[in-house]
Amino acid sequence: IASGKASYNFSSKFSVSTNLNLSYNSSRANLFIPDKGLVEIDSARNSMNAMVTEFKSLQNNFMMYYSTDLNESSSLELRVGNRIMRSIYEYDLGYDINSPTDDFTTLGSGAEDQFLRETKGNYRSLNFVSYYTIADFSFLDKYYLNASVTLDGNSVINKNNRYNLYYSVTGAWNIASGNVSMLSRYDELKIRASYGTSGNIFNEIYDYSRLFYVGKRITDIGVIVLEAIPNENMEVEKKSTINLGFDISTARQKFNTSIDLFYETVNNL
């Protein structure tokens, strides 16, 4: 719902910036289905439910940027910074049936039998922090090299494996750049190759790496119980990707084509 950015240039080569984002979404719904005009299903009539869904997130990206021309034919760019995120998701649902008449439309006005009622919900929070370094090198506007290293930490998994290191390397060669032969008809004829690692933290299975409680109800009494014994050795799902690509551009970049080949390996599924 809101975002803001602040930056300061110390010189033409060095600057710092911070980008703050705030997200909020709340949804509430109440539904009543009367028995008038409807066929009774499984002895259920006059059903009512209420649902609440809420999401809140705060993100910030702080970055220091440095660029320089090493000589007339090469340049270097460096980015060093960190990202933080705090997110909370809540979901609540209540369901009731068999109210005395159509005048009773709210939860709690259904039949007194507890087994005819249902309440459930979900509450999740995520704390995430990332420290990164990215370097871009260009030579003769023809050869390009990109390298990055990232240290990520999150709260969804057991603290024993909470921090993980990821990296990537990318190289490219624009064959058409500066070429006066028959290849000069191409605005760009680039070959790319890269290798990188990444992780997936959005998986509910990580709940079983730490203490995980769920709600249970016996008649009208609600309690929380331990769902499973934590697996403290569980690790984050990681993916390694090899990419080979080709970029072709002609007629002053009016016609562009890209071809990519990927080979991926996933560990810790």
Side-chain angles (χ1 to χ4, degrees), residues 113-138:
D113 298 319
Q114 295 294 329
F115 65 87
L116 296 178
R117 290 179 183 162
E118 181 180 0
T119 56
K120 59 183 179 180
N122 197 341
Y123 181 89
R124 295 181 177 276
S125 63
L126 168 64
N127 294 325
F128 173 82
V129 62
S130 175
Y131 303 94
Y132 62 88
T133 299
I134 304 172
D136 290 285
F137 175 74
S138 173

Side-chain angles (χ1 to χ4, degrees), residues 5-109:
K5 181 178 180 179
S7 61
Y8 184 80
N9 296 325
F10 290 91
S11 66
S12 59
K13 297 183 178 182
F14 180 69
S15 64
V16 297
S17 64
T18 183
N19 194 337
L20 181 66
N21 295 277
L22 176 64
S23 302
Y24 178 77
N25 182 35
S26 180
S27 175
R28 298 172 182 268
N30 294 280
L31 177 65
F32 175 74
I33 302 178
D35 63 346
K36 292 182 179 179
L38 299 176
V39 178
E40 184 175 297
I41 302 176
D42 296 333
S43 301
R45 53 184 174 79
N46 291 351
S47 62
M48 66 288 293
N49 64 64
M51 182 182 68
V52 177
T53 303
E54 190 172 82
F55 173 76
K56 295 178 286 186
S57 181
L58 177 67
Q59 312 106 32
N60 185 74
N61 180 23
F62 173 79
M63 182 179 67
M64 295 184 293
Y65 174 79
Y66 176 79
S67 65
T68 184
D69 294 327
L70 301 178
N71 50 51
E72 295 181 355
S73 57
S74 62
S75 63
L76 177 66
E77 295 182 1
L78 290 174
R79 297 174 178 86
V80 179
N82 79 298
R83 304 182 185 94
I84 58 172
M85 179 174 65
R86 166 68 173 171
S87 298
I88 297 176
Y89 172 77
E90 182 177 357
Y91 167 75
D92 300 290
L93 175 66
Y95 179 78
D96 205 353
I97 60 174
N98 295 356
S99 64
T101 68
D102 292 349
D103 297 321
F104 297 88
T105 62
T106 59
L107 290 179
S109 56

